[in-house]
C-alpha cells in the first residue's frame, strides 16, 4: 500500500508535487511559493493548457525548476461543490498521473483536514496493483509511486481522519487480492485460510468443512460442491465491536442473548464457476474466477470494520465452493434438500449461487438472529442486461433498509438501483416435483433469482445485491484501477458507520 | 360485442359472482363450502358452492382496492365464461371497486375471432355482463368512463392482433382515420411528406418494405387551452430486423411490434369517448422493417429530423430511430407540455423485468411518479429504470454524433435505447415506457386473456385523469375520471 504521511506545508526540494486547484482559485500558499521558485513556470504552463481547476481535469508539468521532477495540477471543481467523493477522485487522479515518481508531495493547504485525508485515501485506492504473478516486468514499466506526503495545516487532525479510511482501503485491497487470484490458487480451502488471517485484526473466524456442512443439513450448498475435487468451506467471521455479548456461533444456546444483535453480511464464494454439467460457453469463462466476489467483499468488509474498530457487532458468512462438472457432479433434474428443509429441483446447475446463499442465509438467521442480512453475489448475467456496469441490483424486502443502502451507495460511488420483488415473479419458481426449482426462465432472470433467495429469509429485513455487473471493471475509474473493484466494501462500511454504530 | 348493464339487484338468470374481501364473513349458506375449500378471501382464490341454485362463484378480493378488483373481476370471467350472462354482485362494495370489477371482467372477456371461419367449440359464450350495485344511477358516469377505457383497450388489442399482411402502415393509417367518427382530428403523412419533413430515420427504417411508412397524428382538442400533452407510439407493423435479421423462432410475434402505437391510439379514443377536457396529440410513426434491396445497412450514417447524425449499428434496433424522429418532430411542431412514448423496444427489458412490469425511463421525476401511480392503480405496472452517464457514453460514435446502440454480449440495451431517445427530447418533460414483454400474453391465466393486452391504454387514460385534466396543482393524487 502507498505509504501516506501528513506534514506541515513546506515546498519540497525534489520529487513531484501535486497542486489541488479549485475553480477560480488564485495562487496562494505553497502554490504561489513554488510558482515563484520556478520563475512563474507553473503559472505559464497552466495558462497555456487552459487549466482552470475544473473537476476531473489535470495538467502535468515536467521539470519546472526548483529541483522538482514534475508538478501536476488537479482540478477540484467549484469550491462550494467539493464533496468527499470529489476529494477522493482528485487523490485518484494524482496517483494515476504520477506512476513514475517515487515520492509525491500534495499541496492540500487550502483543504480542511477531512478532505486532505480523503485525497490521500483516493490516491491509495487508485495506486493498488496486483503484482504477484509478474516475474519479468521491465523496471521502467513498473509503477514506482511509493510515498505520498500530504501537506496540510492540521497534521494531527488529518492523520486521525485518515486512519479509518486507511483501514477501509486495507479491506478493499484484501477483497481485490482475493477476487483477482486465479482459481487454481484460490480454492475454497485456500480462501478459508486467508479468512483466518482476519484473526490478527480481532475477528473471530470459524471454518466449517464438508462434514460440518452435512451436519447442518446444507444439502443445497453441498450439491454445488460435489462435482469438484476441492472441498467446500463455510467461514463465519465475527467482529464484536458493539456493546455486550452478541450472538455466538455453534455450540451456544440459541435463546436469550445479551448485547446488540449483529448485522450480517453473506457472500457467494464460488471460487470457480464452470456452470457444472450445465456448462458455460468457453468464451469469457475465465471471468468466472471472480464468481467469489460477493464472498471476497464480505471478507474485505469484515477487515475494514475490524481495522477501524467499528462499534458494531457484525457477522460475515461466506460459502466457498467450486462448481465443476464431473462424474460426481450434481445433474440437472436433481432434487436437493436445503438446510431450511425446503426441497429444490436443480434444473440448471449453473444457477448455483442461489443454492449456496439459500443455506447460508438460513444458517445465519437461525444462529445469529441478526438485525438485518445483506447478501452479495455475482449472481446473474441478467442484471448486466438490465442495468449495465454502473449500478448493482438491489432487491430488498424492507423500504427502510433499502433507503439506507441506496444512500450509502450514492455517498461512496458504489451505486445501487432498486429492482422489484413480486409474487408474479415468485410463482415462476414453481416446480412439478419439489418445493421450488432453481431457475425461473430468462425473462426477469435477476428477479426470479432474488425471489428464490427470499424464500429462505424469515420475516426480517434483508437485501440482496446482485453485483455481477460491478465486481470487475474493464476500465480504470478515478479510484479503482481496472480489474477487481471490491464493489460493496466501502458502501457497506458506510452503511454501518452511518446507521448501525453505537 | 359484449353488453354491459347496471342493475340494483342480481338478475334471476345467469352465472353469479360474489366478491368477498380477505377476512370478510362468508354468508351462512356458503360457510360450509368455504371452509371445505379453505377459502379466506385472499386475492386470486375462489370456490363454487355446489348447493347454489345456479352457477355461483365466490371470489376472494384480498385487499379491496381498485387493482385487486380488476383482478377479481377478471377471475370471474375466466371461470364463468361458459355462461351467456355473468352477473357481478358488487352490492355493498365501494363504487370505484364495483366499477373496477366490471372493467376487469369485461377486459378478460376480450377475444379475437375475426380470422376464424368455423366456430371454436371452447370459445367463451359470454355476451352480457351485469353489475349489481346498490344505486346504479350514482355510478353511471364512472361506468361510462370505464367503458371509454374499454373501447380504447379493445381498439389497441384488435390492432395488435392483426397480422402484418392485414395491417400494413397504410392500412393502420386507414384504421386510425376511422377515429374521426369519435371527434379526433387525424392527419396522415405519406412517404413524400415524410421526406419533405426530413423524417429521415423513419423513411430509412420503412424504406425497403413494399408498403411504405406513414406518420399519423391524432389530435383531441378538449376544452383546455394551451400546448398539448403528447403520446408517441412505436408502430412497426412488422419487424424482420432488416439486414440484421432476427432468428426465425418467435419472429411471428413481431406483428405486435406496433403495440406502442396501438396503445396511444386506444388512449386517444378513450379520451375522446369520455370527452376529456385535455388537449392531447398522439404521433405514431408507422413502418415495416423489411429485408430488401433498398434497406438501410449496419454502418450507415443517417441525419435525423433533429439534425443529429446517427451511426446505425444494428438495423434491428429500428424502434429508437423512428421514435427519435417522432420525438423531435413532435417537439418542433407542438411544443408539448409533456411527452410519453410507448414502445416494444428491447429484449433487454424482458430480461430485466420479465412479463409483469414495463420499464419506465424519464427525465422528469414528477411525470415518472405520476406514471408509476397510474400504472399501479389500473394494474399496468411500470418499474423505474436508470439512464446513467455510462449508458450515454456507450453511444459515442467515432464518426457521427451518436451510435444507435452498443455492441457485444450482455448489453443493457433498454438503458442504451432510453439514453438514445433522451438525446432527442431536449428540456421537454419526457417519459419512455419500454413495453416489450407486457404487450402480449402467451398463455391465458386468471387475470389475462391470451394475446394482446392493450397495455398502456388504461395507464395513459388514468395519467391524463389524475395529472393533466384539473391542472397540475390539483392533481397530486390519482382519481377516477369524473363526469364531464
Amino acid at each position: 500500500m502507498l505509504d501516506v504521511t501528513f506534514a506541515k506545508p513546506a515546498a519540497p526540494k525534489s520529487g513531484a508535487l501535486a497542486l489541488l486547484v479549485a475553480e477560480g482559485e488564485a495562487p496562494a500558499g505553497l502554490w504561489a511559493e513554488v510558482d515563484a521558485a520556478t520563475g512563474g513556470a507553473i503559472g505559464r504552463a497552466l495558462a497555456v493548457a487552459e487549466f482552470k481547476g475544473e473537476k476531473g481535469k489535470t495538467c502535468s508539468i515536467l521539470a519546472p525548476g526548483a529541483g522538482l521532477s514534475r508538478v501536476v495540477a488537479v482540478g477540484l471543481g467549484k469550491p462550494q461543490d467539493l464533496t468527499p467523493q470529489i476529494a477522493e477522485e482528485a487523490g485518484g487522479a494524482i496517483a494515476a498521473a504520477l506512476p513514475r515518481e517515487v515520492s509525491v508531495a500534495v499541496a492540500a493547504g487550502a483543504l480542511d483536514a477531512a478532505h486532505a485525508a480523503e485525497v490521500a485515501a483516493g490516491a491509495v485506492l487508485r495506486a493498488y496493483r496486483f503484482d504477484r504473478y509478474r516475474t519479468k516486468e521491465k523496471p521502467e514499466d513498473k509503477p514506482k509511486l511509493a510515498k505520498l506526503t500530504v501537506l496540510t495545516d492540521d497534521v494531527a487532525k488529518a492523520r486521525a481522519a485518515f486512519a479509518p479510511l486507511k483501514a477501509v482501503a486495507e479491506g478493499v485491497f484484501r477483497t481485490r487480492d482475493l477476487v483477482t487470484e486465479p482459481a487454481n490458487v484460490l480454492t475454497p480451502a485456500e480462501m478459508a485460510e486467508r479468512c483466518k488471517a482476519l484473526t490478527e485484526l480481532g475477528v473471530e473466524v470459524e471454518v466449517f468443512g464438508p462434514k460440518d456442512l452435512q451436519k447442518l443439513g446444507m444439502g443445497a450448498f453441498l450439491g454445488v460442491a460435489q462435482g469438484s475435487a476441492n472441498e467446500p468451506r463455510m467461514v463465519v467471521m465475527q467482529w464484536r465491536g458493539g456493546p455486550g455479548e452478541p450472538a455466538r456461533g455453534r455450540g451456544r444456546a440459541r435463546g436469550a442473548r445479551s448485547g446488540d444483535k449483529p448485522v450480517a453480511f453473506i457472500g457467494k464464494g464460488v471460487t470457480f464457476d464452470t456452470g457444472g454439467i450445465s456448462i458455460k460457453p468457453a468464451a469469457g469463462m475465465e471471468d468466472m474466477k471472480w464468481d467469489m466476489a460477493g464472498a471476497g467483499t464480505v471478507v474485505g468488509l469484515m477487515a475494514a470494520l475490524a481495522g477501524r474498530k467499528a462499534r458494531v457487532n457484525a457477522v460475515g458468512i461466506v460459502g466457498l465452493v467450486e462448481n465443476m462438472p464431473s462424474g460426481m457432479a450434481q445433474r440437472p433434474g436433481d432434487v436437493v434438500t436445503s438446510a431450511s428443509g425446503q426441497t429444490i429441483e436443480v434444473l440448471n446447475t449453473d444457477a448455483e449461487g442461489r443454492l449456496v446463499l439459500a443455506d447460508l442465509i438460513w444458517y445465519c438467521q437461525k444462529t445469529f438472529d441478526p438485525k438485518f442480512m445483506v447478501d452479495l453475489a455475482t449472481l446473474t448475467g441478467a442484471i448486466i442486461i438490465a442495468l449495465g456496469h454502473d449500478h448493482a441490483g438491489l432487491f430488498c424486502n424492507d423500504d427502510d433498509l433499502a433507503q439506507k443502502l441506496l444512500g450509502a451507495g450514492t455517498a461512496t460511488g458504489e451505486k445501487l438501483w432498486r429492482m422489484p420483488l413480486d409474487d408474479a415473479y415468485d410463482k415462476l419458481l414453481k416446480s412439478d416435483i419439489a418445493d421450488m426449482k432453481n431457475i425461473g426462465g430468462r425473462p426477469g432472470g435477476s428477479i426470479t433469482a432474488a425471489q428464490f433467495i427470499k424464500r429462505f429469509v424469515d420475516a426480517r429485513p434483508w437485501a440482496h445485491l446482485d453485483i455481477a455487473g460491478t465486481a470487475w471493471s474493464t476500465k480504470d475509474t478515478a479510484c479503482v484501477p481496472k480489474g477487481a473493484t471490491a464493489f460493496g466494501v466501502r458502501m457497506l462500511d458506510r452503511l454501518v458507520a452511518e446507521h448501525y454504530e453505537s | 360485442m359484449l353488453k354491459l348493464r347496471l342493475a340494483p339487484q342480481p338478475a334471476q338468470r345467469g352465472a353469479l359472482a360474489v366478491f368477498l374481501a380477505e377476512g370478510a364473513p362468508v354468508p351462512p349458506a356458503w360457510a360450509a363450502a368455504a371452509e371445505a375449500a379453505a377459502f379466506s378471501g385472499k386475492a386470486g382464490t375462489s370456490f363454487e358452492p355446489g348447493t347454489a341454485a345456479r352457477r355461483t362463484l365466490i371470489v376472494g378480493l384480498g385487499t379491496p382496492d381498485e387493482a385487486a378488483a380488476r383482478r377479481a373481476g377478471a377471475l370471474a370471467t375466466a371461470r364463468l365464461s361458459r355462461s351467456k350472462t355473468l352477473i357481478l354482485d358488487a352490492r355493498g362494495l365501494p363504487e370505484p371497486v364495483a366499477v373496477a370489477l366490471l372493467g376487469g371482467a369485461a377486459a378478460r372477456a376480450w377475444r379475437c375471432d375475426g380470422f376464424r371461419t368455423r366456430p371454436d367449440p371452447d370459445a367463451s359464450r359470454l355476451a352480457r355482463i351485469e353489475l349489481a350495485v346498490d344505486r346504479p344511477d350514482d355510478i353511471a358516469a364512472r361506468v361510462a368512463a370505464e367503458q371509454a377505457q374499454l373501447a380504447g383497450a379493445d381498439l389497441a388489442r384488435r390492432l395488435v392482433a392483426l397480422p402484418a399482411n392485414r395491417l400494413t402502415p397504410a392500412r393502420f393509417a386507414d384504421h386510425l382515420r376511422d377515429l374521426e367518427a369519435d371527434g379526433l382530428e387525424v392527419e396522415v403523412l405519406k412517404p413524400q411528406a415524410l421526406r419533405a419533413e426530413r423524417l429521415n430515420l423513419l423513411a430509412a427504417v420503412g424504406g425497403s418494405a413494399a408498403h411504405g411508412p406513414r406518420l399519423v397524428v391524432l389530435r383531441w382538442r378538449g376544452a383546455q387551452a394551451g400546448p398539448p400533452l403528447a403520446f408517441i407510439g412505436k408502430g412497426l407493423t412488422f419487424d424482420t430486423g432488416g439486414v440484421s435479421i432476427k432468428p426465425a423462432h418467435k419472429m411471428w410475434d413481431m406483428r405486435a411490434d406496433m403495440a406502442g402505437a396501438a396503445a396511444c391510439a386506444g388512449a386517444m379514443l378513450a379520451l375522446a369517448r369520455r370527452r376529456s377536457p385535455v388537449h392531447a396529440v398522439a404521433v405514431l410513426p408507422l413502418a415495416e422493417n423489411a429485408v430488401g434491396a433498398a434497406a438501410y445497412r449496419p454502418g450507415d450514417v443517417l441525419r435525423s429530423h433533429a439534425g443529429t447524425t446517427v451511426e446505425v449499428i444494428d438495423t434491428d434496433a429500428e424502434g429508437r430511430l423512428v421514435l427519435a424522429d417522432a420525438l423531435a418532430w413532435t417537439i418542433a411542431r407542438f411544443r408539448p407540455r409533456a411527452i410519453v412514448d410507448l414502445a416494444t423496444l428491447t429484449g433487454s427489458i424482458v430480461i430485466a423485468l420479465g412479463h409483469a412490469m414495463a420499464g419506465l425511463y424519464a427525465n422528469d421525476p414528477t411525470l415518472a411518479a405520476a406514471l408509476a401511480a397510474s400504472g399501479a392503480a389500473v394494474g399496468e405496472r411500470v418499474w423505474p429504470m436508470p439512464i446513467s452517464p455510462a449508458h450515454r457514453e456507450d453511444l459515442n460514435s467515432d464518426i457521427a454524433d451518436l451510435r444507435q446502440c452498443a455492441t457485444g454480449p450482455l448489453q443493457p440495451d433498454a438503458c442504451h435505447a432510453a439514453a438514445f431517445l433522451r438525446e432527442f427530447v431536449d428540456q421537454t418533460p419526457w417519459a419512455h415506457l419500454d413495453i416489450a414483454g407486457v404487450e402480449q400474453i402467451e398463455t391465458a391465466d386468471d387475470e389475462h386473456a391470451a394475446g394482446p393486452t392493450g397495455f398502456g391504454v388504461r395507464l395513459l387514460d388514468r395519467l391524463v385523469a389524475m395529472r393533466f385534466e384539473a391542472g397540475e396543482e390539483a392533481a397530486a393524487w390519482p382519481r377516477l375520471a369524473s363526469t364531464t
Side-chain angles (χ1 to χ4, degrees):
Chain A
M1 182 182 273
L2 189 59
D3 177 33
V4 174
T5 53
F6 294 89
K8 289 274 186 199
K13 301 283 174 270
S14 63
L17 174 68
L19 297 172
L20 296 165
V21 180
E23 243 175 278
E25 188 183 344
L30 203 56
W31 177 10
E33 193 181 319
V34 176
D35 194 32
T38 59
I42 293 170
R44 283 194 300 279
L46 294 183
V48 168
E50 295 179 15
F51 176 88
K52 297 185 189 73
E54 303 99 322
K55 178 164 72 97
K57 288 269 166 67
T58 58
C59 177
S60 194
I61 306 155
L62 279 169
L68 296 171
S69 56
R70 199 187 297 246
V71 167
V72 61
V74 176
L76 290 172
K78 300 200 173 68
Q80 67 272 24
D81 296 343
L82 186 63
T83 63
Q85 214 179 333
I86 292 171
E88 273 177 15
E89 287 174 8
I94 293 170
L98 298 168
R100 303 273 164 266
E101 303 290 338
V102 177
S103 174
V104 174
V106 181
L111 300 184
D112 66 24
H115 286 318
E118 285 148 10
V119 169
V124 165
L125 288 168
R126 178 59 192 264
Y128 171 84
R129 195 160 188 256
F130 186 87
D131 258 347
R132 196 160 298 161
Y133 301 113
R134 294 180 213 270
T135 64
K136 293 188 164 175
E137 195 173 27
K138 290 182 196 147
E140 64 267 31
D141 291 343
K142 252 193 189 343
K144 299 191 183 65
L145 186 59
K147 189 169 161 50
L148 193 79
T149 308
V150 180
L151 307 173
T152 172
D153 294 322
D154 200 340
V155 171
K157 218 167 157 192
R159 202 176 280 145
F162 181 66
L165 301 181
K166 185 181 178 205
V168 174
E170 279 167 351
V172 166
F173 288 6
R174 209 176 276 261
T175 301
R176 289 182 186 170
D177 284 350
L178 288 169
V179 174
T180 312
E181 284 284 15
N184 61 328
V185 172
L186 196 78
T187 60
E190 170 63 19
M191 185 156 167
E193 282 305 309
R194 297 201 188 180
C195 292
K196 277 191 195 161
L198 264 59
T199 49
E200 291 162 18
L201 296 168
V203 176
E204 283 177 38
V205 182
E206 266 183 295
V207 178
F208 297 69
K211 281 196 188 129
D212 306 312
L213 303 180
Q214 213 128 32
K215 273 188 216 142
L216 291 167
M218 293 191 169
F221 185 174
L222 287 167
V224 177
Q226 74 191 31
S228 172
N230 294 305
E231 287 180 352
R233 296 286 186 273
M234 176 173 79
V235 181
V236 176
M237 293 158 278
Q238 293 185 67
W239 166 249
R240 300 148 193 274
E245 183 74 357
R248 288 298 301 256
R250 72 186 148 174
R252 287 302 180 101
R254 283 180 184 184
R257 298 186 186 100
S258 59
D260 254 16
K261 285 184 184 180
V263 296
F265 303 97
I266 295 158
K268 167 186 171 184
V270 177
T271 56
F272 195 82
D273 181 15
T274 63
I277 296 296
S278 312
I279 199 161
K280 290 177 186 288
M285 206 204 274
E286 65 277 12
D287 285 350
M288 287 303 109
K289 74 171 184 184
W290 49 263
D291 207 19
M292 39 55 71
T297 301
V298 169
V299 175
L301 172 66
M302 294 303 290
L305 294 174
R308 68 173 181 80
K309 307 244 178 295
R311 294 183 308 278
V312 68
N313 295 325
V315 181
I317 304 181
V318 294
L320 309 175
V321 61
E322 185 176 49
N323 188 21
M324 292 290 269
S326 74
M328 289 299 294
Q330 148 166 285
R331 293 143 292 245
D334 284 5
V335 174
V336 295
T337 303
S338 67
S340 73
Q342 298 180 88
T343 56
I344 303 161
E345 188 183 16
V346 179
L347 290 186
N348 187 325
T349 64
D350 195 17
E352 84 296 338
R354 63 199 73 179
L355 298 170
V356 176
L357 290 172
D359 278 348
L360 258 52
I361 279 178
W362 186 259
Y363 173 81
C364 178
Q365 65 201 6
K366 291 294 157 212
T367 310
F368 297 103
D369 187 25
K371 274 184 197 151
F372 67 78
M373 297 185 287
V374 175
D375 79 69
L376 297 103
T378 48
L379 208 62
T380 66
I383 202 68
I384 308 175
I385 298 176
L387 300 175
H389 303 283
D390 241 26
H391 295 92
L394 163 64
F395 300 83
C396 191
N397 65 358
D398 183 274
D399 287 343
D400 177 57
L401 178 60
Q403 283 310 319
K404 288 173 177 165
L405 281 162
L406 288 165
T410 307
T412 54
E414 295 180 343
K415 290 184 288 178
L416 303 172
W417 190 268
R418 193 154 184 200
M419 294 286 287
L421 290 166
D422 194 273
D423 284 345
Y425 302 103
D426 183 73
K427 71 180 184 197
L428 300 174
L429 298 171
K430 200 169 158 50
S431 159
D432 291 339
I433 65 160
D435 295 334
M436 69 197 86
K437 48 188 190 182
N438 75 327
I439 47 167
R442 261 171 74 75
S446 306
I447 309 174
T448 51
Q451 294 286 164
F452 180 94
I453 299 167
K454 182 167 180 278
R455 288 185 173 213
F456 298 87
V457 177
D458 54 22
R460 82 189 65 229
W462 153 79
H464 157 60
L465 309 182
D466 193 335
I467 58 171
T470 53
W472 191 271
S473 173
T474 54
K475 51 188 177 201
D476 294 332
T477 59
C479 298
V480 185
K482 71 178 177 182
T485 61
F487 182 100
V489 173
R490 306 182 63 213
M491 180 249 301
L492 294 173
D493 174 73
R494 173 66 66 103
L495 173 81
V496 170
E498 280 201 356
H499 302 290
Y500 296 100
E501 292 200 39
S502 46
Chain B
M1 191 65 190
L2 199 62
K3 290 195 170 69
L4 306 182
R5 294 275 182 278
L6 299 178
Q9 291 287 327
Q12 291 307 307
R13 301 187 54 182
L16 179 70
V18 178
F19 300 89
L20 293 176
E22 188 154 15
V26 178
W30 302 321
E35 201 178 331
F39 177 84
S40 66
K42 238 178 101 204
T45 62
S46 65
F47 73 99
E48 289 193 49
T51 53
R54 57 166 152 188
R55 191 140 188 224
T56 302
L57 181 75
I58 319 300
V59 183
L61 254 181
T63 320
D65 59 16
E66 191 190 334
R70 283 189 192 282
R71 283 198 294 278
L75 189 144
T77 297
R79 291 279 194 282
L80 299 174
S81 65
R82 302 293 289 165
S83 308
K84 272 191 163 160
T85 302
L86 168 61
I87 299 156
L88 309 172
D89 188 355
R91 290 173 300 171
L93 294 172
E95 287 176 6
V97 170
V99 176
L101 282 172
L102 181 67
R108 177 64 181 79
W110 187 87
R111 13 187 311 118
C112 175
D113 279 329
F115 304 118
R116 291 182 206 279
T117 63
R118 299 138 221 227
D120 171 5
D122 298 328
S124 156
R125 294 178 190 155
L126 210 57
R128 194 180 159 90
I129 300 179
E130 255 186 51
L131 183 69
V133 285
D134 299 320
R135 286 182 300 277
D137 292 343
D138 291 3
I139 67 163
R142 279 182 196 276
V143 170
E146 185 70 29
Q147 278 184 301
Q149 226 177 49
L150 282 165
D154 173 63
L155 171 67
R157 293 163 100 177
R158 276 188 289 119
L159 288 168
V160 172
L162 281 173
N165 59 334
R166 309 245 178 171
L167 192 78
T168 61
R171 288 176 72 174
F172 196 161
D174 290 343
H175 283 290
L176 298 174
R177 265 269 183 246
D178 294 344
L179 295 174
E180 284 175 345
D182 284 283
L184 290 167
E185 294 169 25
V186 182
E187 184 185 348
V188 178
L189 277 63
K190 294 185 179 174
Q192 214 178 344
L194 299 183
R195 278 193 295 277
E197 292 285 325
R198 291 176 291 103
L199 290 158
N200 303 329
L201 302 184
L202 174 57
V205 170
S208 70
H211 308 279
R214 299 287 186 275
L215 186 82
V216 177
V217 182
L218 306 176
R219 190 166 194 167
W220 172 249
R221 292 181 199 266
Q224 260 173 20
L229 170 67
F231 303 134
I232 293 179
K234 172 184 171 186
L236 267 289
T237 56
F238 197 78
D239 180 15
T240 64
V243 171
S244 314
I245 198 163
K246 289 178 186 287
H249 183 65
K250 294 256 176 179
M251 206 205 273
W252 53 85
D253 275 344
M254 287 303 112
R255 70 176 183 212
D257 209 18
M258 34 55 73
C264 292
M268 293 297 285
L269 176 60
L271 297 178
R273 285 273 171 98
R274 66 178 181 78
R275 319 298 298 170
S276 164
V278 79
H279 179 196
V281 294
V283 177
L284 311 176
L286 310 179
E288 181 176 337
N289 188 20
V291 188
Y296 75 126
R297 290 148 293 247
D300 284 3
V301 173
L302 305 171
R303 186 177 295 277
S304 72
H305 176 78
T308 308
T309 55
V310 177
E311 182 187 9
V312 176
I313 300 298
D314 183 331
T315 62
D316 193 18
E318 83 297 332
R320 66 200 69 178
L321 298 178
V322 303
L323 290 173
D325 264 0
L327 285 164
W329 186 84
T330 302
I331 289 168
R333 164 106 180 248
F334 295 108
R335 302 276 159 215
R337 55 203 281 217
I339 300 184
V340 181
D341 80 65
L342 280 81
T344 48
L345 208 60
T346 67
S348 151
I349 203 67
V350 186
I351 303 298
L353 296 175
H355 301 292
M357 301 179 194
L360 163 64
Y361 297 85
N363 67 357
D364 182 287
T366 316
L367 180 60
L371 276 162
S374 308
V378 301
E380 295 181 341
R381 292 187 291 170
V382 299
W383 189 264
M385 294 287 288
I387 307 176
S388 65
H391 295 139
R392 173 60 189 82
E393 274 168 38
D394 290 343
L395 301 178
N396 286 340
S397 163
D398 293 340
I399 61 165
D401 296 333
L402 208 53
R403 280 209 313 190
Q404 161 216 35
C405 61
T407 57
L410 298 182
Q411 293 294 343
D413 188 46
C415 301
H416 286 151
F420 180 87
L421 296 178
R422 194 181 55 182
E423 295 296 305
F424 297 87
V425 296
D426 243 354
Q427 304 301 313
T428 313
W430 158 79
H432 157 60
L433 299 181
D434 193 338
I435 60 169
V438 297
E439 84 285 14
Q440 296 195 92
I441 299 277
E442 201 162 325
T443 319
D445 58 22
D446 286 342
E447 201 177 340
H448 306 97
T453 58
F455 187 103
V457 174
R458 291 175 186 291
L459 174 64
L460 293 180
D461 184 54
R462 177 59 59 92
L463 174 77
V464 169
M466 71 174 258
R467 178 99 206 128
F468 291 98
E469 285 183 354
E472 318 257 327
E473 59 290 345
W477 191 247
R479 61 186 183 84
L480 280 166
S482 54
T483 56
T484 44

